[in-house]
Amino acid sequence: GPPGGGRNPLTPRYVRHHTVMVMPQPSAEAMRRIFSSIVGGHLALNGQAEIVSLTKPIIESTVDLYQTVLRDLKPIPAKAHYTFNLRDVSKVVQGLLMVQAAHIPSADVLIRLWCHEVTRVFADRFIDDTDRSYFKGLVAEYCKLQFKQSWTTEDIFDGENKLIFADYTKPGTPREERKYELVADVSKLGPLFDSYLDEYNAENKEMRLVFFWDAIEHISRLCRVLRQPRGNAMLVGVGGSGKQSLTRFA
């Protein structure tokens, strides 16, 4: 790419040893067609008309949101990792597919799942509250325009029950039988994690963790990544902030 954001031009002396191929980004229409087929086929297994009909709003919102973030949140030296591409759109779709179609109880839950997945894929990369607030406003706007829901950012993200989807709410369930679902009561996550920690400490070197809300959110993010095929994450933070311990616990 062009110089900037840590990228440098390739010299002709270096390029002459290689075959240069141009891979253009797919158009918005191409992305809509590809991902509509994937999501539509998945939701069709549910059978409920109100859920199947959300295929178009989900894809329209995802592609438009991706292009808006790409346009407005550009990589700068302080935010060099703000590099978004087609992989991010596919990660949103992959997150939607983690919930089996037959286990989606209502359109409301599916819309909240979409809000959760776009937040995990895009907003977890942001480094300041300004960018996060801007993104949450975009999500609320798409909920109103595409999904016809009069939700505010507080209703979606900061209500009485925080927005978290996870597969760890039922201890003792074999990994292959765990369901990725909306956490109905986040107030129970602290005691739940305490019981998981006791189980971990009984078999491994003891860890002493305090599960305040930020730690619970980080663990939920890590669990989501680890349950995906080839899931990976880059953890950024000062030394001693708990990155390694929370990853081991997740």
Side-chain angles (χ1 to χ4, degrees):
R7 295 172 294 182
N8 296 302
L10 300 177
T11 63
R13 184 179 180 183
Y14 175 78
V15 172
R16 68 190 174 93
H17 294 290
H18 302 271
T19 299
V20 180
M21 300 179 65
V22 178
M23 300 292 290
Q25 286 287 336
S27 65
E29 182 57 37
M31 286 192 287
R32 291 188 181 98
R33 182 180 295 273
I34 293 169
F35 292 115
S36 290
S37 300
I38 297 172
V39 175
H42 177 70
L43 296 182
L45 299 175
N46 180 276
Q48 297 185 50
E50 65 168 356
I51 289 178
V52 177
S53 65
L54 288 178
T55 300
K56 183 176 180 181
I58 285 175
I59 300 304
E60 290 284 346
S61 300
T62 304
V63 173
D64 289 349
L65 184 64
Y66 160 69
Q67 292 182 323
T68 302
V69 170
L70 198 65
R71 183 188 69 237
D72 296 343
L73 299 174
K74 298 198 179 285
I76 60 176
K79 305 173 182 179
H81 59 291
Y82 279 28
T83 51
F84 304 99
N85 52 44
L86 180 61
R87 187 181 295 110
D88 297 301
V89 181
S90 68
K91 284 292 184 182
V92 173
V93 173
Q94 184 182 23
L96 295 172
L97 299 185
M98 286 198 295
V99 177
Q100 296 183 31
H103 297 155
I104 302 175
S106 65
D108 182 85
V109 171
L110 180 57
I111 297 170
R112 291 187 182 277
L113 173 63
W114 176 81
C115 294
H116 178 267
E117 294 307 312
V118 294
T119 304
R120 294 286 74 82
V121 172
F122 294 104
D124 281 353
R125 203 176 301 183
F126 300 152
I127 64 172
D128 56 43
D129 290 336
T130 302
D131 292 344
R132 295 189 193 99
S133 298
Y134 170 72
F135 182 84
K136 288 179 179 179
L138 287 177
V139 172
E141 183 179 341
Y142 282 112
C143 284
K144 184 179 297 184
L145 294 177
Q146 294 284 358
F147 299 107
K148 312 305 179 186
Q149 299 287 344
S150 57
W151 296 340
T152 64
T153 56
E154 289 75 17
D155 295 331
I156 301 171
F157 301 102
D158 304 316
E160 183 177 340
N161 200 50
K162 304 287 188 179
L163 182 63
I164 290 184
F165 279 77
D167 66 351
Y168 51 62
T169 54
K170 297 177 181 177
T173 305
R175 183 177 298 274
E176 60 276 5
E177 296 178 12
R178 292 181 181 180
K179 296 179 182 178
Y180 189 66
E181 57 190 357
L182 179 66
V183 177
D185 186 359
V186 297
S187 65
K188 296 180 180 178
L189 292 183
L192 176 65
F193 284 179
D194 284 331
S195 67
Y196 275 127
L197 183 61
D198 291 339
E199 181 180 336
Y200 176 89
N201 288 338
E203 302 175 358
N204 302 276
K205 182 179 178 181
E206 183 179 5
M207 284 197 304
R208 297 183 179 180
L209 300 176
V210 177
F211 297 112
F212 53 94
W213 177 246
D214 284 346
I216 290 173
E217 276 196 314
H218 288 321
I219 292 169
S220 300
R221 293 179 181 118
L222 290 167
C223 289
R224 173 186 174 276
V225 169
L226 292 173
R227 82 184 306 273
Q228 294 179 336
R230 298 179 299 280
N232 60 87
M234 180 176 68
L235 309 185
V236 180
V238 297
S241 60
K243 300 186 295 297
Q244 189 178 93
S245 297
L246 293 185
T247 303
R248 189 179 295 117
F249 177 73

